[in-house]
Amino acid sequence: MIKARVTVTLKNGVLDPQGKAIEGALDALGFSGVGSVRQGKVFDLEIEGADRAKAESDLNAMCEKLLANTVIEDYTVSVT
């Protein structure tokens, strides 16, 4: 079994209204000095088999086809 984590974030230059809302909420809660909040998504997956190269290839295909909107999002894949 191969465990993997995919992290999806907005590309630099893409507006992040949810990140701005979180930043404002943190300030309202008394956490001053927090800036440039960017939100993203994390996917933890378990893939059957032991072929790490195939797993990484499949994970990249999953990101390109479903997990990330590659027009406005970047992603990273970490296999353990």
Side-chain angles (χ1 to χ4, degrees):
M1 186 72 64
I2 296 173
K3 292 186 179 186
R5 173 167 283 181
V6 174
T7 304
V8 180
T9 56
L10 290 170
K11 290 183 177 183
N12 288 333
V14 175
L15 296 178
D16 186 356
Q18 189 171 3
K20 274 295 194 193
I22 293 168
E23 186 177 324
L26 288 170
D27 186 56
L29 290 170
F31 297 102
S32 60
V34 176
S36 299
V37 175
R38 307 278 290 172
Q39 66 87 31
K41 302 177 277 192
V42 175
F43 300 93
D44 290 323
L45 300 98
E46 292 183 352
I47 300 172
E48 292 182 7
D51 187 344
R52 291 174 58 92
K54 181 176 181 340
E56 287 187 29
S57 175
D58 287 348
L59 286 160
N60 283 312
M62 290 176 203
C63 290
E64 293 290 328
K65 293 180 180 181
L66 177 67
L67 300 180
N69 176 350
T70 56
V71 174
I72 62 168
E73 295 175 319
D74 289 323
Y75 64 88
T76 59
V77 174
S78 173
V79 176
T80 58

